[in-house]
Amino acid sequence: MELNEKKLFPEVQNPELLQYQLVTKKDLLNFSNLLIREIQLNKPAAEPLKKWLRSVDVRNLLNISSATLQNFRVNNSIKYTRIGSIFYYSSEDIQKILDKTHTQKP
């Protein structure tokens, strides 16, 4: 990120005067807003979830153990599809669980 005095302090006509000025709250606010915008523009896009997730992915997303995931399957708390010895979970269902638990926390 290249710092441009005109961008940071648009109200200052003569950039040489910046050497002798104090930093105000307004200056800090301008800088923080500019910094946040730059970060948002340069932030890589989040990788979309796959349509189907394996058990290890679900455990990592929900931060649970394999035993807890097995209990969820046994209690029908989570939908799954089994192909051979591999369990698959719909990413939409997992996202709903994440959204539900996120809104329930105080």
Side-chain angles (χ1 to χ4, degrees), residues 1-2 5-8 13 16 26 30-31 33-34 44 50 52 55 57 62 68 70 75 80 85 106:
M1 181 175 111
E2 203 172 303
E5 294 165 342
K6 292 285 186 184
K7 268 186 173 181
L8 290 174
Q13 300 298 322
E16 296 295 321
K26 183 180 177 185
N30 284 342
F31 179 72
N33 288 337
L34 177 68
K50 301 177 229 172
W52 294 99
S55 296
D57 301 323
L62 299 179
T68 301
Q70 181 180 359
N75 297 330
Y80 66 93
S85 62

Side-chain angles (χ1 to χ4, degrees), residues 54-56 58-59 62 64-74 78 89:
R54 289 179 161 209
S55 296
V56 66
V58 174
R59 290 195 326 259
L62 299 179
I64 58 175
S65 68
S66 55
T68 301
L69 185 56
Q70 181 180 359
N71 285 336
F72 285 166
R73 287 194 308 263
V74 170
I78 193 168
Y89 308 84

Side-chain angles (χ1 to χ4, degrees), residues 22-87:
L22 297 175
V23 177
T24 65
K25 288 182 180 181
K26 183 180 177 185
D27 296 333
L28 290 174
L29 185 61
N30 284 342
F31 179 72
S32 66
N33 288 337
L34 177 68
L35 190 59
I36 289 170
R37 263 194 310 260
E38 288 287 330
I39 290 170
Q40 289 172 343
L41 289 175
N42 294 326
K43 185 175 154 183
E47 188 175 307
L49 282 177
K50 301 177 229 172
K51 184 171 178 158
W52 294 99
L53 302 171
R54 289 179 161 209
S55 296
V56 66
D57 301 323
V58 174
R59 290 195 326 259
N60 290 335
L61 283 171
L62 299 179
N63 196 23
I64 58 175
S65 68
S66 55
T68 301
L69 185 56
Q70 181 180 359
N71 285 336
F72 285 166
R73 287 194 308 263
V74 170
N75 297 330
N76 292 322
S77 300
I78 193 168
K79 297 177 188 175
Y80 66 93
T81 300
R82 182 176 176 178
I83 300 175
S85 62
I86 301 173
F87 293 95

